[in-house]
Amino acid sequence: MKRVFLLTVLFSVQVLTWGQSAPKPYGALPTAAQLKWHEMEMYCLIHFGVNTYLDHEWGYGDEDPGLVNPTQFNAKQIVGAAKAGGFKGIIVVAKHHDGLCLWPTKTTPHNISKSKWKNGKGDIIKEYQLACEQLGLKLGLYCSPWDRNNPEYGRPAYLEIYRNQLKELYSNYGPLFSSWHDGANGGNGYYGGANETRNIDRTTYYDWDNTWAITRKMQPGAVLFGDVGPDVRWVGNEEGHAGKTCWATYTPQAPDPGRKPANGYAKTELATEGTRNGMYWMPAECDVPLRPGWFYHASQNPQVKTPSELLDLYYESVGRGTGLDLGLSPDQRGLLNTADVASLKGFGDLLRQTFAINLAKGAQLKASNIRGNNKASFGPQFLLDNDRYSYWATDDSVTTPTLELNLGGKKTFNVIRLRENIKLGQRIDAVAVDAFENGEWKEIATATSIGSNRLIRLEENITTDKVRLRITGAPVCIALSDFGLYKEPVHIKAPVISREKSGMVTIISDASGQPVYYTLDGSEPSARSLVYKGPFLFADGGTIKARIMDKQISGDISTRIFGIGKKGWKIVEAPEGSHADNVIDEDENTNWSTLTPELSGKLPVDVTIDMGEERSIKAFTYLPRQDKKNEGLIGRYAFYVSNNDKDWEKAREGDFHNIEANPVQQLLLLPKTLKARYFRFSALHINTGKGVSVAELGIISR
């Protein structure tokens, strides 16, 4: 008995010693589901529905499900394109705000069974589920809490309907990696024919704690996304980037003191950087569409983001410890456009080429400190072993260690990757990296908030045989799990196309000395296209595409859609003192504004413009203010035309949906092409504030 007791004591002491040798966790920590989410890094958000057939972003709720008929729908084509881009999963919009469910639900007749597709026998969600299983991607779902179709929305009965929809999705289409919820809640809608505005208390109506409990029970492996998480937070913009400093920890705040934050009711501007030492592990998701809008619009075919633009977004999202959620929009056929597919593949190729080889592999490592001098357990060799959770650690008293890497010969790199073992929390505040050049150390990079992933993209290639990492700030000892050096391949970014009010177009390229080829008819530039030699007149508008090409490589294509040149245009009528000339000056940094005390509060707000002669009008464009402020953004508009400034015809009326989160140029096609000399733009509703703030208005004639 004494021997057994002694062995037990010795074993307990040894276990205690081992336990003490590992660093204590710091701050909020990720769950198992959050760890898997971090490892995914990228996924896609897929929008398809009645809006796809009506050229809308948000439906009103009264749309006929019979419009939906994707005769060539191929989930494997869409999921395969995402996989080629390096994405690890998809989130399908199972129901958007218009209320149409893309699965045969029992909760509402407003579902896919009322469509013409497969004679009402189809199930879009099931086909995505099967495609993901076949191609090895994970599946997530978004069922909009706001439902502009349901007659019970805004009343207690709707909450049970919504929860039953979640239960159906969780039961029939799992396992899921994400249950996605946004902040669009309440407003005007069809609501079963009521055609009214219904507002809700966003902090209480959905009873989120009990609603999320359904997810926890039925899909325990899924992270919950929303403005306030609770697992993954919205980054606060739909531009695809996090803050240069971005913490995985976060403490959500309500706009009004003393109230509880909720989806659609939070200071989302704080989410871009997060909260150092926040209450919760709640990393950010950066959502951004591949095109300007989330749903498919034929007019946006020339505006698909290029592979280089997607790579920029990757560094500004995944490279800052967040997830990249890229919006894909199948067309009316139920397929991704060829331009979308090509861009995804090009992006995936760039990623694979960049991170194929860690140039730090095989380096001799010299750390200024190793925890307990126990190299076998905490040595720097774990930085190079491809395990996100093995790590180099230091003694508790050492929070600013250094590490030297002898690369064994000259290596050329332009990307640095760092990762912490986030199972122990986000511990490091700041780092610096040096290269040994001309017999001395030279600082080449700094970074903050390392977390699950930090990519430092250098402005120029670095060639050296020795690199040094310095931890320059940390509240506790470090637990660093990864250090990598990579070489991003040569790829030529798209040139920048701009136009002055006179109609003169300039094309600027970073690749000096390389020829720029361009077209004026929307076709893809080739070696047989026009070569840019200087500014040229493009007063009648249209689509210009340009790219840099040489014998070895062809760069990304830049596309600009220009309206009619504004030379000779005049403001006929607008509120005095509102600087209405700014909407026709071709400068996105100046605004027509009625936000002054003298002008605010009056609706509608109109501006009337004389184009100087009769022109064909196929569409008009509205560019909201571009200074990252929401005040003055227009929610509802009307557009009129006239030939004599007396007799006016309303050409289009509608909404600018989602404009706060995605303030990009809006291109609005008219039902038919009209001819007119004058046009009037009328702001009928202002989303935030009591006046308008508009950067540019334009006319598309072809």
Side-chain angles (χ1 to χ4, degrees):
M1 286 294 294
K2 289 183 179 179
R3 183 183 178 191
V4 171
F5 177 76
L6 182 61
L7 287 173
T8 301
V9 170
L10 289 172
F11 179 74
S12 299
V13 171
Q14 192 172 26
V15 169
L16 183 62
T17 302
W18 289 340
Q20 288 176 334
S21 67
K24 292 181 179 180
Y26 177 76
L29 301 176
T31 64
Q34 288 173 320
L35 288 171
K36 291 180 179 178
W37 176 88
H38 276 291
E39 293 165 13
M40 288 182 68
E41 296 189 346
M42 302 193 305
Y43 41 92
C44 295
L45 182 62
I46 301 176
H47 284 73
F48 175 84
V50 288
N51 295 332
T52 308
Y53 296 85
L54 294 171
D55 205 29
H56 292 170
E57 279 291 291
W58 286 6
Y60 186 65
D62 60 350
E63 298 82 10
D64 180 6
L67 292 169
V68 179
N69 189 21
T71 55
Q72 300 179 52
F73 176 62
N74 186 341
K76 287 186 68 175
Q77 186 251 12
I78 298 163
V79 175
K83 184 175 182 178
F87 294 86
K88 302 299 191 301
I90 62 167
I91 298 174
V92 180
V93 179
K95 183 188 77 171
H96 204 248
H97 314 320
D98 54 73
L100 180 66
C101 297
L102 298 184
W103 78 100
T105 177
K106 297 177 181 179
T107 63
T108 173
H110 198 59
N111 68 68
I112 196 66
S113 68
K114 297 298 190 293
S115 74
K116 296 178 182 178
W117 179 59
K118 292 191 173 182
N119 296 316
K121 304 297 182 183
D123 185 341
I124 285 179
I125 308 304
K126 179 59 68 174
E127 296 208 15
Y128 276 120
Q129 180 192 26
L130 295 175
C132 284
E133 290 174 356
Q134 292 168 7
L135 296 176
L137 268 67
K138 295 183 179 181
L139 178 68
L141 294 173
Y142 164 47
C143 183
S144 171
W146 184 25
D147 191 322
R148 300 173 96 180
N149 171 269
N150 201 290
E152 296 300 324
Y153 182 80
R155 303 166 182 159
Y158 173 74
L159 182 57
E160 192 63 23
I161 295 171
Y162 177 60
R163 286 175 171 172
N164 285 335
Q165 290 175 350
L166 292 178
K167 290 175 183 177
E168 284 186 358
L169 292 169
Y170 295 159
S171 297
N172 298 321
Y173 305 103
L176 303 178
F177 83 88
S178 175
S179 183
W180 205 89
H181 309 269
D182 67 4
N185 298 299
N188 66 333
Y190 175 67
Y191 303 127
N195 294 313
E196 62 187 14
T197 297
R198 294 184 181 176
N199 296 316
I200 62 166
D201 184 339
R202 301 183 183 195
T203 64
T204 61
Y205 179 64
Y206 296 107
D207 185 19
W208 281 119
D209 288 343
N210 287 310
T211 299
W212 289 333
I214 300 170
T215 315
R216 298 294 193 219
K217 180 180 179 180
M218 299 184 70
Q219 290 292 335
V223 293
L224 283 157
F225 165 85
D227 292 350
V228 292
D231 298 324
V232 177
R233 72 181 191 264
W234 182 45
V235 78
N237 64 73
E238 291 184 357
E239 299 168 357
H241 62 80
K244 292 182 179 179
T245 295
C246 186
W247 304 107
T249 53
Y250 187 51
T251 305
Q253 295 183 31
D256 302 302
R259 299 203 66 190
K260 183 179 179 180
N263 286 341
Y265 185 71
K267 290 185 177 180
T268 53
E269 67 274 12
L270 302 178
T272 307
E273 291 193 358
T275 312
R276 182 53 166 146
N277 300 316
M279 292 178 61
Y280 310 103
W281 189 275
M282 197 187 296
E285 173 194 287
C286 298
D287 58 332
V288 59
L290 180 58
R291 294 157 165 259
W294 290 100
F295 282 90
Y296 176 81
H297 307 280
S299 62
Q300 295 178 358
N301 284 347
Q303 296 174 279
V304 176
K305 291 179 177 62
T306 67
S308 291
E309 288 174 322
L310 293 178
L311 189 62
D312 291 344
L313 293 174
Y314 178 83
Y315 284 108
E316 295 170 1
S317 56
V318 176
R320 295 174 182 174
T322 74
L324 175 59
D325 186 5
L326 183 69
L328 303 183
S329 47
D331 60 20
Q332 293 92 337
R333 302 170 301 165
L335 299 172
L336 289 181
N337 187 275
T338 55
D340 303 53
V341 173
S343 183
L344 289 169
K345 184 181 184 304
F347 168 56
D349 290 343
L350 282 176
L351 272 187
R352 286 182 283 273
Q353 292 170 34
T354 298
F355 295 100
I357 300 174
N358 183 356
L359 298 169
K361 285 282 189 182
Q364 294 180 351
L365 307 174
K366 180 182 178 182
S368 64
N369 178 267
I370 297 175
R371 188 172 184 82
N373 203 26
N374 185 350
K375 183 177 180 181
S377 298
F378 303 110
Q381 72 274 11
F382 294 115
L383 296 174
L384 305 177
D385 66 358
N386 294 325
D387 184 338
R388 296 181 82 127
Y389 306 112
S390 64
Y391 58 100
W392 165 44
T394 56
D395 292 326
D396 288 341
S397 61
V398 179
T399 59
T400 55
T402 61
L403 174 72
E404 293 184 17
L405 296 90
N406 187 327
L407 303 177
K410 297 287 186 180
K411 301 287 180 67
T412 299
F413 59 92
N414 52 21
V415 176
I416 303 167
R417 186 175 74 189
L418 296 163
R419 289 172 175 163
E420 294 184 76
N421 176 5
I422 57 174
K423 290 182 178 180
L424 298 175
Q426 191 166 16
R427 309 169 73 89
I428 298 175
D429 288 333
V431 301
V433 181
D434 306 322
F436 198 69
E437 296 181 359
N438 300 319
E440 60 182 6
W441 291 107
K442 176 185 176 183
E443 184 176 278
I444 58 172
T446 60
T448 55
S449 59
I450 306 307
S452 65
N453 202 48
R454 168 59 73 168
L455 298 174
I456 308 173
R457 193 185 199 185
L458 304 177
E459 294 183 359
E460 58 185 19
N461 292 339
I462 297 294
T463 301
T464 185
D465 60 353
K466 286 192 287 188
V467 173
R468 181 174 67 183
L469 170 67
R470 291 179 286 122
I471 310 300
T472 56
V476 290
C477 68
I478 70 162
L480 197 67
S481 67
D482 182 272
F483 184 90
L485 302 174
Y486 301 93
K487 178 68 168 63
E488 185 181 311
V490 175
H491 58 102
I492 304 176
K493 292 187 176 183
V496 177
I497 307 171
S498 61
R499 189 180 69 172
E500 299 175 354
K501 186 174 181 178
S502 64
M504 296 299 293
V505 168
T506 301
I507 305 177
I508 300 175
S509 164
D510 290 337
S512 59
Q514 300 289 344
V516 177
Y517 296 86
Y518 69 97
T519 61
L520 304 177
D521 59 1
S523 61
E524 186 171 303
S526 68
R528 296 185 297 274
S529 301
L530 297 168
V531 178
Y532 179 72
K533 296 181 179 179
F536 58 90
L537 186 64
F538 196 61
D540 290 334
T543 301
I544 299 177
K545 291 191 174 186
R547 77 190 313 179
I548 300 158
M549 301 177 66
D550 61 22
K551 294 180 180 179
Q552 283 76 38
I553 190 169
S554 295
D556 287 347
I557 297 175
S558 177
T559 303
R560 285 293 304 270
I561 302 173
F562 290 108
I564 300 169
K566 300 173 184 177
K567 183 179 181 180
W569 286 21
K570 296 179 181 179
I571 302 297
V572 175
E573 184 179 0
E576 187 175 352
S578 63
H579 304 287
D581 282 338
N582 288 340
V583 294
I584 57 173
D585 65 357
E586 296 281 22
D587 184 350
E588 66 179 32
N589 297 310
T590 63
N591 298 316
W592 166 46
S593 174
T594 62
L595 293 173
T596 61
E598 298 81 11
L599 299 175
S600 66
K602 300 175 182 178
L603 286 175
V605 182
D606 300 340
V607 59
T608 302
I609 297 171
D610 178 6
M611 296 184 287
E613 60 180 299
E614 184 181 82
R615 307 300 298 258
S616 292
I617 303 178
K618 181 179 180 181
F620 75 93
T621 60
Y622 156 63
L623 181 69
R625 64 188 302 176
Q626 296 294 291
D627 56 3
K628 309 297 183 183
K629 297 179 181 178
N630 286 340
E631 192 176 13
L633 298 184
I634 297 168
R636 189 162 185 83
Y637 69 88
F639 181 79
Y640 304 85
V641 297
S642 172
N643 277 308
N644 56 18
D645 193 24
K646 296 179 182 179
D647 303 308
W648 290 91
E649 175 184 355
K650 182 186 289 186
R652 179 161 178 162
E653 182 176 344
D655 299 302
F656 293 123
H657 293 305
N658 203 36
I659 199 71
E660 285 89 357
N662 194 25
V664 299
Q665 179 172 282
Q666 309 292 304
L667 190 154
L668 291 307
L669 293 169
L670 304 187
K672 61 179 180 179
T673 299
L674 300 172
K675 289 189 175 183
R677 171 174 171 171
Y678 301 86
F679 71 89
R680 176 178 295 159
F681 178 77
S682 182
L684 305 179
H685 175 74
I686 310 299
N687 288 350
T688 305
K690 296 183 178 180
V692 302
S693 185
V694 181
E696 287 291 315
L697 295 171
I699 296 297
I700 303 294
S701 63
R702 58 182 183 180

